[in-house]
């Protein structure tokens, strides 16, 4: 209501010079405890509607008191709230939603701690706390006790509790305390910190923790294969956006080189993440290069995920011959392509004019109990119709419907699409 008060003060001289029945004197005093004065404001016959509209149009939020019979739209400002105003409102709302400390639970937790407690005893009590605020308060309370110093275990459990509760600001404060003490740290704790920073998309903060690990004199704090797994997964988490993956791919490349230079042997999970990054950023040839180096340069063998990523990437570029070769190699090793690989291959073959082979792969994926999506069915049927075999497409659709492979809704939708695109003749099936 501050904006409202300022505008009222702005027009006070005009209001005071108006008649006795003007609008300004009818405002109730918010400090006056007498509620009987409210009826002056609600008396519609004593309100100057012109002046009321002036005030309403200069406020940024609705008036709490509006006269009976007055249009509600006049009680709102015609100007949108500023960005700073929205930011202040959001901060106030978030602050009001913050949970409060359970004092009874906090006192109970303190009573479970012996008089001269060790960091291990404090950690055991903090681990049992389900309320992260109680855990945080115990951490601060212990920091104020004489002759007590936190160690890695107490820092670690506090960070895990706050991160799991998404209290990232409080967690960041504890992390700053950790970084200020060079002698405190462990690879597991730093991995936890990096993980929660990547969860909230603070990638620059996560990379700074990674650099701190690399520069640490404590060998127990150096990055491990788990550290690189967390970072690779974080950079590839926006998998639907090719441009973002293209931008992040150089960072992933650099991290992979650092890992190899540090003597960390990449495992199948790391190789698959690297191949997936190349595929998502449309660097399929680089993905194939890494694939052919498996077993030779890198001591690991491809699994089903490796083939699935490569088949999907090759089909996206229309390289169906290479995709079929990999699919055959995959099946000879005992792996079954995923639904995504089958759908990609069927779509690519159909769009490339190999409709018969696309239909064969479609029946194969149905045999392997892989789910076929609506787009695959429509692409195959559409390409069959484009070749002038409309009745053949309708017979295939009818067969899929009779075998309960296409639900009633999808069946009707596909039928209507074919009728709209290729005429009413498709409604007659021989």
């Amino acid at each position: 209501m501050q904006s409202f008060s300022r505008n009222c003060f702005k027009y006070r001289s005009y209001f005071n010079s108006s008649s006795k029945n003007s609008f300004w004197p009818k405002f109730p005093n918010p400090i006056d405890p007498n509620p009987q004065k409210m009826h002056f404001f609600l008396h519609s016959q004593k309100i100057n509607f012109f002046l009321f509209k002036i005030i309403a149009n200069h406020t940024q939020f609705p008036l709490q008191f509006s006269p009976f019979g007055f249009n509600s739209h006049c009680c709102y400002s015609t100007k949108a709230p500023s960005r700073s105003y929205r930011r202040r409102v959001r901060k106030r709302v978030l602050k009001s939603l913050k949970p409060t400390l359970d004092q009874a639970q906090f006192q109970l937790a303190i009573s479970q701690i012996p008089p001269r407690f060790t960091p291990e005893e404090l950690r055991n009590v903090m681990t049992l706390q389900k309320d992260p605020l109680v855990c945080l308060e115990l951490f601060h309370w212990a920091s104020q006790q004489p002759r007590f110093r936190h160690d890695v275990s107490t820092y670690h459990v506090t960070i895990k509790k706050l991160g799991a509760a998404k209290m990232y600001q409080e967690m960041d404060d504890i992390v700053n305390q950790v970084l200020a003490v060079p002698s405190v740290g462990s690879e597991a704790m730093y991995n936890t910190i990096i993980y929660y920073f990547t969860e909230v998309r603070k990638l620059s903060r996560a990379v700074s923790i990674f650099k701190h690990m690399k520069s640490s004199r404590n060998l127990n704090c150096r990055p491990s294969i788990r550290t690189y797994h967390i970072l690779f997964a974080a950079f590839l988490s926006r998998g639907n956006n090719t441009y973002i993956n293209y931008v992040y791919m150089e960072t992933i490349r650099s991290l992979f080189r650092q890992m190899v230079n540090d003597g960390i042997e990449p495992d199948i999970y790391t190789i698959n993440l690297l191949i997936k990054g190349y595929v998502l950023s449309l660097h399929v040839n680089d993905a194939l290069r890494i694939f052919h180096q498996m077993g030779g340069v890198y001591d690991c063998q491809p699994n089903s995920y490796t083939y699935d990523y490569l088949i999907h990437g090759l089909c996206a570029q229309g390289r169906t011959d290479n995709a079929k070769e990999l699919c055959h190699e995959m099946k000879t090793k005992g792996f079954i392509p995923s639904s995504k690989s089958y759908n990609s291959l069927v779509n690519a073959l159909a769009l490339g004019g190999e409709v018969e082979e696309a239909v064969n792969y479609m029946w194969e994926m149905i045999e392997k109990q892989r789910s076929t999506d609506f787009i695959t069915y429509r692409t195959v049927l559409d390409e069959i119709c484009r070749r002038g075999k409309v009745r053949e497409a309708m017979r295939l659709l009818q067969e899929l419907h009779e075998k309960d492979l296409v639900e009633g809704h999808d069946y009707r939708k596909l039928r209507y699409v074919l009728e709209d695109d290729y005429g009413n003749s498709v409604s007659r099936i021989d």
Side-chain angles (χ1 to χ4, degrees), residues 14 95 109 140 179 205 224 259 291 301 303 323 343 386:
Y14 177 77
K95 188 176 181 180
H140 291 318
L179 298 178
R205 190 82 164 106
S224 65
M259 183 182 67
F291 169 74
Q301 297 297 324
N303 58 12
N343 283 302
R386 288 178 187 276

Side-chain angles (χ1 to χ4, degrees), residues 363 398-406:
W363 286 116
Q398 187 69 25
E399 183 179 0
L400 293 171
H401 179 59
E402 291 174 355
K403 293 183 177 181
D404 293 330
L405 299 173
V406 178

Side-chain angles (χ1 to χ4, degrees), residues 1-162:
M1 296 295 291
Q2 293 180 357
S3 175
F4 176 78
S5 302
R6 287 195 299 269
N7 286 298
C8 289
F9 183 80
K10 180 179 178 181
Y11 292 98
R12 182 179 61 177
S13 59
Y14 177 77
F15 295 149
N16 289 337
S17 63
S18 60
S19 61
K20 291 183 179 181
N21 293 330
S22 63
F23 176 68
W24 173 259
K26 305 304 178 292
F27 272 103
N29 186 358
I31 306 177
D32 194 345
N34 186 5
Q36 300 297 328
K37 292 186 178 182
M38 189 65 70
H39 74 279
F40 290 108
F41 181 76
L42 298 177
H43 201 286
S44 59
Q45 294 180 354
K46 296 186 177 182
I47 292 178
N48 190 325
F49 292 100
F50 173 73
L51 298 180
F52 184 90
K53 189 173 182 179
I54 290 178
I55 295 177
N57 287 337
H58 285 81
T59 57
Q60 293 185 351
F61 42 83
L63 300 176
Q64 294 183 357
F65 309 104
S66 61
F68 295 129
F70 197 75
N71 292 335
S72 59
H73 69 272
C74 294
C75 301
Y76 292 86
S77 171
T78 57
K79 296 188 297 183
S82 63
R83 182 179 299 177
S84 61
Y85 173 78
R86 296 195 303 269
R87 190 182 298 116
R88 291 195 303 271
V89 170
R90 182 175 179 274
K91 286 183 179 179
R92 285 197 294 267
V93 171
L94 292 177
K95 188 176 181 180
S96 64
L97 293 177
K98 286 186 177 180
T100 57
L101 176 65
D102 188 348
Q103 290 291 341
Q105 187 65 30
F106 174 63
Q107 294 299 329
L108 178 61
I110 289 181
S111 65
Q112 297 172 354
I113 302 176
R116 293 186 177 181
F117 58 93
T118 62
E120 183 180 358
E121 293 170 335
L122 176 64
R123 181 204 62 195
N124 293 336
V125 175
M126 294 171 68
T127 304
L128 297 176
Q129 304 305 315
K130 296 182 179 180
D131 189 348
L133 277 179
V134 174
C135 181
L136 179 62
E137 197 64 24
L138 283 174
F139 179 88
H140 291 318
W141 172 83
S143 302
Q144 299 172 359
Q145 304 305 310
R147 297 186 301 274
F148 178 81
R149 293 292 182 272
H150 288 287
D151 66 355
V152 176
S153 62
T154 55
Y155 280 115
H156 196 181
V157 69
T158 305
I159 290 171
K160 285 199 293 186
K161 292 282 186 180
L162 297 175

Side-chain angles (χ1 to χ4, degrees), residues 358-370:
V359 174
N360 293 334
Y361 272 104
M362 186 182 69
W363 286 116
E364 179 184 318
M365 70 181 296
I366 292 172
E367 257 184 66
K368 301 294 185 181
Q369 297 182 348
R370 300 302 190 193

Side-chain angles (χ1 to χ4, degrees), residues 331-351:
K331 289 185 287 187
T332 56
K333 292 186 176 182
F335 300 122
I336 300 177
S338 65
S339 299
K340 186 175 183 179
S341 296
Y342 267 126
N343 283 302
S344 299
L345 187 56
V346 172
N347 279 284
L349 289 171
L351 293 173

Side-chain angles (χ1 to χ4, degrees), residues 110-319:
I110 289 181
S111 65
Q112 297 172 354
I113 302 176
R116 293 186 177 181
F117 58 93
T118 62
E120 183 180 358
E121 293 170 335
L122 176 64
R123 181 204 62 195
N124 293 336
V125 175
M126 294 171 68
T127 304
L128 297 176
Q129 304 305 315
K130 296 182 179 180
D131 189 348
L133 277 179
V134 174
C135 181
L136 179 62
E137 197 64 24
L138 283 174
F139 179 88
H140 291 318
W141 172 83
S143 302
Q144 299 172 359
Q145 304 305 310
R147 297 186 301 274
F148 178 81
R149 293 292 182 272
H150 288 287
D151 66 355
V152 176
S153 62
T154 55
Y155 280 115
H156 196 181
V157 69
T158 305
I159 290 171
K160 285 199 293 186
K161 292 282 186 180
L162 297 175
K166 298 184 179 181
M167 299 172 62
Y168 299 114
Q169 182 59 50
E170 292 80 0
M171 188 194 78
D172 203 2
D173 296 336
I174 304 299
V175 171
N176 290 330
Q177 295 183 35
V178 172
L179 298 178
V181 185
S183 59
V184 175
S186 68
E187 179 259 337
M189 183 185 66
Y190 283 127
N191 285 345
T192 301
I193 295 172
I194 292 175
Y195 171 76
Y196 284 118
F197 278 142
T198 56
E199 282 290 294
V200 75
R201 302 304 299 174
K202 291 186 176 181
L203 298 183
S204 59
R205 190 82 164 106
V207 171
S208 67
I209 300 297
F210 168 76
K211 292 179 179 178
H212 180 82
M213 294 176 68
K214 285 183 64 67
S215 61
S216 176
R217 296 181 179 179
N218 187 356
L219 297 180
N220 295 327
C221 297
R222 296 295 177 85
S224 65
I225 189 70
R226 172 63 179 162
T227 312
Y228 289 98
H229 286 175
I230 297 171
L231 290 173
F232 287 153
F235 286 117
L236 293 176
S237 60
R238 301 294 179 90
N240 294 328
N241 194 317
T242 303
Y243 177 75
I244 293 179
N245 288 304
Y246 182 85
V247 172
Y248 282 154
M249 199 57 221
E250 186 59 37
T251 304
I252 295 174
R253 245 195 229 107
S254 176
L255 284 173
F256 185 78
R257 285 197 298 267
Q258 291 183 43
M259 183 182 67
V260 174
N261 293 336
D262 290 342
I264 301 176
E265 186 70 24
D267 57 1
I268 184 60
Y269 184 77
T270 307
I271 296 296
N272 283 344
L273 285 176
L274 189 63
I275 290 176
K276 179 182 178 182
Y278 279 130
V279 169
L280 292 177
S281 60
L282 304 181
H283 293 90
V284 181
N285 288 334
D286 291 327
L288 289 172
R289 175 177 54 81
I290 297 295
F291 169 74
H292 291 302
Q293 291 175 347
M294 297 178 69
V297 179
Y298 308 114
D299 188 18
C300 55
Q301 297 297 324
N303 58 12
S304 60
Y305 293 101
T306 313
Y307 288 103
D308 285 333
Y309 294 143
L310 290 171
I311 291 172
H312 175 70
L314 290 169
C315 291
Q317 293 187 347
R319 299 163 63 176

